[in-house]
Amino acid sequence: MTTFEQDDLEFRFPDDDCQVLPAFDEQSFYKKLCGSQVFQAKGCDILAIYHGDCLYLIEAKDYAHAHPMKGRETPGNLAVTIAKKAFDTLACLAVGAHHASDETVQEFCRRALTCPKLCVVATVELARNPKAHSDKDVLYRRNLKEQLERNVKELHAWRVIVTWNSDNENDHKFWSSCWSKDHD
């Protein structure tokens, strides 16, 4: 089991048939693209290759703990942000496949680019209480998924997933997540 933290969330990915690149935005080639005045790339938080043929681009948002006083983005705005990050991530993978200084990262980027399926994922924590799934939260996630599907249409995403920590019924969520030990 590969375990790491992202935005006060702990993610666990199975070791069998899954390759994960956490902290994509910490890679040196990515930092150069992100800091460039020309590109200003923004990447997804977590990249995973599952079954060798599906690239998962996962964006984690914690509106419950990270910025409780700051209002959450509207589903439409968040969908645009995630779609842009998905596009930038794919572009950055092309650069990383040729110019990443770490051989393992370079190989991950190459493998990612050969995946015939793309899955764009938003894992969004809206409520402090994981059992509190209000109608507003359900509507927010539904709207986010609809908007995200429209926004990544031209990326030919095989699947769009909107999930959260306690979402254990989603057949396409092969990882688990929970609050990290350090969150409030």
Side-chain angles (χ1 to χ4, degrees):
M1 190 71 65
T2 302
T3 303
F4 59 90
E5 286 188 29
Q6 179 70 44
D7 293 345
D8 288 333
L9 300 172
E10 184 177 289
F11 287 84
R12 291 184 294 275
F13 288 84
D15 287 331
D16 58 323
D17 213 13
C18 179
Q19 186 180 5
V20 182
L21 182 61
F24 179 69
D25 55 356
E26 295 299 316
Q27 302 300 322
S28 60
F29 74 90
Y30 170 81
K31 285 183 175 183
K32 288 178 186 172
L33 292 170
C34 182
S36 165
Q37 286 185 330
V38 175
F39 301 113
Q40 298 177 359
K42 303 274 185 200
C44 292
D45 295 318
I46 305 161
L47 281 60
I49 300 171
Y50 190 56
H51 289 309
D53 71 344
C54 188
L55 173 62
Y56 281 72
L57 306 179
I58 303 170
E59 180 64 18
K61 288 292 181 189
D62 176 10
Y63 291 119
H65 292 87
H67 306 286
M69 297 308 199
K70 182 180 171 188
R72 49 174 100 147
E73 288 183 78
T74 65
N77 287 346
L78 182 55
V80 168
T81 298
I82 294 171
K84 286 180 179 179
K85 286 185 172 193
F87 180 82
D88 285 357
T89 299
L90 292 172
C92 289
L93 283 170
V95 174
H98 299 286
H99 301 290
S101 56
D102 182 318
E103 287 283 326
T104 307
V105 172
Q106 193 175 69
E107 183 56 32
F108 179 94
C109 293
R110 287 184 186 137
R111 284 193 64 212
L113 291 172
T114 64
C115 289
K117 297 177 190 171
L118 173 66
C119 188
V120 178
V121 180
T123 179
V124 184
E125 292 301 323
L126 298 171
R128 285 177 149 329
N129 178 353
K131 298 194 185 322
H133 290 288
S134 71
D135 290 341
K136 284 176 40 177
D137 289 352
V138 171
L139 183 60
Y140 183 94
R141 287 191 179 97
R142 185 180 310 134
N143 288 338
L144 175 59
K145 186 172 194 279
E146 290 171 1
Q147 292 285 330
L148 193 52
E149 285 172 341
R150 278 195 286 273
N151 290 335
V152 299
K153 181 181 175 189
E154 297 307 318
L155 296 180
H156 304 282
W158 170 66
R159 181 163 282 124
V160 171
I161 298 173
V162 175
T163 188
W164 59 96
N165 279 346
S166 59
D167 180 12
N168 299 322
E169 296 175 18
N170 191 325
D171 294 337
H172 304 291
K173 183 181 173 188
F174 60 91
W175 65 95
S176 64
S177 58
C178 63
W179 299 116
S180 71
K181 293 170 183 68
D182 297 332
H183 89 69
D184 58 355

